[in-house]
Amino acid sequence: MTMATRDHFKSRIGFILAASGSAVGLGNIWKFPFEVGAGGGAAFVMTYLFFAFTLCFPVMVAEIAIGRKTQLNPVGAIKSLGHKRWTFLGYLGVASGFLILSFYTVVAGWALGYFVEMLLGNFDIGNQFDAFTKDWIKMGLYSLLFMSGTAFVVSNGISGGIERAARILMPTLVVFVLALVIYALTLPNAMEGIKYYLQPDFSKITGDIVYKALGQAFFSLSLGMGALITYGSYVSRETNIVRAAAVITVTDVSIAFLAGLMMFPFVAYMTQGDPVGIREVSGGPGFIFITLPGIFESLGHSLGMVIGTAFFLLLSFAAFTSTISLLEVPTAYMIDELKVERKAATWAVAGTIYLIGIPSMLSVGAVESLKNFITLPGPGTMNFMDFVGLIANDTFLPLGGLLISVFTAYVWKKSNFNKEIRVGSHQSKTGFLEVYVDIAISYICPIILGIITLVTVFRNFFGIDIIGGLF
Ligand code: PFF
């Protein structure tokens, strides 16, 4: 397709909002605080921030550059740069998108369901979480609603669907986050929560934390699966890619950071500032859905309803702009490669992914065999949904990031990459960020991502610790 016929983001800010919308999601507001809670507080935050800026930012620049250069989906993009043997990398991305979206809509469905419950003033929903997730008809309907909304936006194309949705949802989301942070900071014992969140204890950095923080950074920035190759393919040649990637990274990290500033005061309020309690309460995936409604209730009925409704609406909005980008990846593949028309492609992909997500939906409570789905040497027994997460988020994304950096530096070649970055940069000199991206893509990302991916794959799937005491 040529520039003339391919739909594009109408403006630079439209692209930045859509890409930030992809990045800001359940990963920031649901996953980040509980990973921080479980991972020893500030030690996790620091590791995550370090990875986001040193490893993820350069990969983001590479993804957007590949997309803009080729004007294609990940499979077509890699193929069109003339390297058929690397096409598997594009397919790995499309497959990751499929898998992630399949369970992401399940959790997004919970968020939507909780929004409705909060609106009805049902604070007891936290205690009914088990029953809620076992009610597969209700679950099924909420995720169906979410997926249908996502498909509706994606079927309307880039400027008329994705960009328009991001322009409304992202500013609203920022207002909600800020309002909730300000409110949370006024709660009794808020500062104890902030202390747990921000006072680092480097003895807490273990191999597991490094691995989790890396997975979280890639997941949170929507990297390693070609979502930004796809969005990059709709970016104009006037856009400064490096600067745009920097803005997207900072936005995403800031929202995750703010989510922590909002969540830990709530937890500390509940545990009356006890740090052991803060860790116990905040450190699990159930935190938002099991504990938080009770905390909202303790604020008083009307205020609790307002805060609770605002919170779950915020969570749903954040999830929505992410599911849009997850769906766009396989949809763009079908449009570009299989020549299917956009509307048909969108609904076909959305329907298929919805069906693939059903086992995840049932694995949280309804079906015992899916609940205790597999026992792995590293993480132990896990349900189907966590297993898909382990494969797609924690393994495929860093692996995808590793392969994208190797591909960019050594297959597509650095000179071509740098040429693409300069398009739209309007700078006569090469700046610091450009120099860093160049070095990172060639050496830092391949080496560090290579080591961490290898170590963790061996540890999780084979129970072998290949570098012994180092981690
Ligand atoms: N970045 C999203 C989040 O933090 O929730 C998740 C995500 C969206 C991952 C899009 C990957 C992706 F392509």
Side-chain angles (χ1 to χ4, degrees):
M1 259 189 201
T2 62
M3 284 283 266
T5 55
R6 193 176 181 79
D7 196 0
H8 277 76
F9 290 111
K10 277 213 191 93
S11 65
R12 215 169 308 163
I13 185 72
F15 163 62
I16 287 180
L17 286 173
S20 303
S22 166
V24 174
L26 294 172
N28 303 58
I29 295 163
W30 167 62
K31 209 159 167 280
F32 179 70
F34 85 69
E35 298 268 20
V36 174
F44 183 92
V45 179
M46 309 282 274
T47 318
Y48 160 82
L49 287 177
F50 177 75
F51 284 148
F53 288 109
T54 55
L55 300 179
C56 295
F57 164 67
V59 173
M60 185 184 287
V61 175
E63 284 204 22
I64 300 174
I66 292 172
R68 191 178 66 177
K69 173 73 193 162
T70 59
Q71 300 280 300
L72 286 167
N73 68 92
V75 173
I78 306 269
K79 219 194 278 176
S80 91
L81 289 173
H83 305 281
K84 287 225 165 52
R85 259 188 304 160
W86 278 80
T87 313
F88 76 93
L89 174 54
Y91 284 112
L92 182 71
V94 174
S96 307
F98 247 78
L99 292 177
I100 294 176
L101 186 54
S102 77
F103 68 81
Y104 202 94
T105 21
V106 175
V107 183
W110 297 348
L112 194 60
Y114 269 58
F115 161 69
V116 175
E117 299 292 339
M118 288 292 123
L119 208 56
L120 300 173
N122 178 15
F123 295 111
D124 201 39
I125 185 71
N127 300 323
Q128 301 158 8
F129 180 70
D130 267 354
F132 182 77
T133 52
K134 274 189 189 140
D135 186 345
W136 58 271
I137 297 185
K138 213 173 186 180
M139 290 295 87
L141 282 176
Y142 278 128
S143 9
L144 187 64
L145 206 62
F146 214 94
M147 186 65 104
S148 307
T150 307
F152 175 74
V153 171
V154 171
S155 70
N156 280 307
I158 308 309
S159 51
I162 297 178
E163 184 171 357
R164 194 187 288 174
R167 274 178 179 276
I168 301 168
L169 294 175
M170 287 309 287
T172 316
L173 184 143
V174 171
V175 172
F176 271 60
V177 174
L178 288 176
L180 286 169
V181 169
I182 292 170
Y183 175 71
L185 288 175
T186 63
L187 289 170
N189 292 312
M191 281 310 133
E192 298 310 310
I194 299 295
K195 237 183 249 161
Y196 179 80
Y197 180 43
L198 297 181
Q199 238 171 37
D201 172 358
F202 290 105
S203 66
K204 299 229 172 80
I205 299 188
T206 61
D208 248 10
I209 289 192
V210 171
Y211 166 64
K212 285 275 174 200
L214 183 69
Q216 172 63 17
F218 267 87
F219 181 74
S220 175
L221 287 160
S222 304
L223 291 175
M225 53 157 276
L228 287 162
I229 295 183
T230 311
Y231 273 16
S233 74
Y234 308 119
V235 166
S236 90
R237 302 192 73 73
E238 293 300 303
T239 302
N240 181 334
I241 296 179
V242 175
R243 207 171 297 159
V247 174
I248 298 162
T249 306
V250 170
T251 307
D252 182 62
V253 166
S254 308
I255 301 277
F257 186 73
L258 286 173
L261 281 188
M262 150 174 88
M263 220 64 88
F264 284 95
F266 275 123
V267 181
Y269 166 69
M270 178 190 167
T271 62
Q272 294 173 351
D274 168 30
V276 179
I278 294 178
R279 185 189 184 111
E280 276 165 9
V281 170
S282 62
F287 164 61
I288 276 185
F289 295 104
I290 296 170
T291 320
L292 209 50
I295 302 183
F296 292 145
E297 183 174 25
S298 67
L299 304 173
H301 193 80
S302 312
L303 183 61
M305 250 167 89
V306 172
I307 301 284
T309 307
F311 177 80
F312 285 105
L313 187 63
L314 158 74
L315 192 63
S316 305
F317 277 7
F320 194 52
T321 45
S322 297
T323 51
I324 289 172
S325 70
L326 282 160
L327 184 59
E328 177 59 25
V329 175
T331 301
Y333 164 73
M334 282 191 77
I335 296 171
D336 293 342
E337 304 302 302
L338 309 179
K339 309 292 172 219
V340 182
E341 180 268 332
R342 175 169 280 274
K343 281 210 164 39
T346 311
W347 289 100
V349 174
T352 311
I353 297 180
Y354 179 75
L355 295 178
I356 295 177
I358 289 177
S360 285
M361 188 172 82
L362 300 178
S363 73
V364 183
V367 176
E368 205 54 38
S369 57
L370 290 169
K371 198 169 171 183
N372 301 311
F373 180 68
I374 195 167
T375 303
L376 290 174
T381 302
M382 54 199 336
N383 68 28
F384 185 80
M385 181 151 121
D386 290 343
F387 178 65
V388 178
L390 181 80
I391 302 275
N393 304 352
D394 298 343
T395 312
F396 281 3
L397 297 188
L399 176 66
L402 163 68
L403 295 172
I404 285 167
S405 49
V406 173
F407 176 83
T408 304
Y410 302 106
V411 183
W412 183 28
K413 296 267 188 302
K414 252 182 359 185
S415 53
N416 293 319
F417 171 51
N418 284 326
K419 212 189 286 167
E420 183 60 31
I421 285 180
R422 273 196 296 273
V423 175
S425 87
H426 303 298
Q427 280 167 357
S428 49
K429 277 198 307 199
T430 315
F432 166 76
L433 287 181
E434 283 82 2
V435 174
Y436 177 71
V437 166
D438 189 317
I439 299 171
I441 275 298
S442 324
Y443 310 108
I444 304 174
C445 294
I447 294 171
I448 301 188
L449 288 175
I451 294 174
I452 300 180
T453 309
L454 264 181
V455 169
T456 50
V457 164
F458 271 95
R459 157 127 30 115
N460 281 336
F461 297 101
F462 305 105
I464 300 171
D465 206 351
I466 50 174
I467 45 174
L470 189 55
F471 275 148

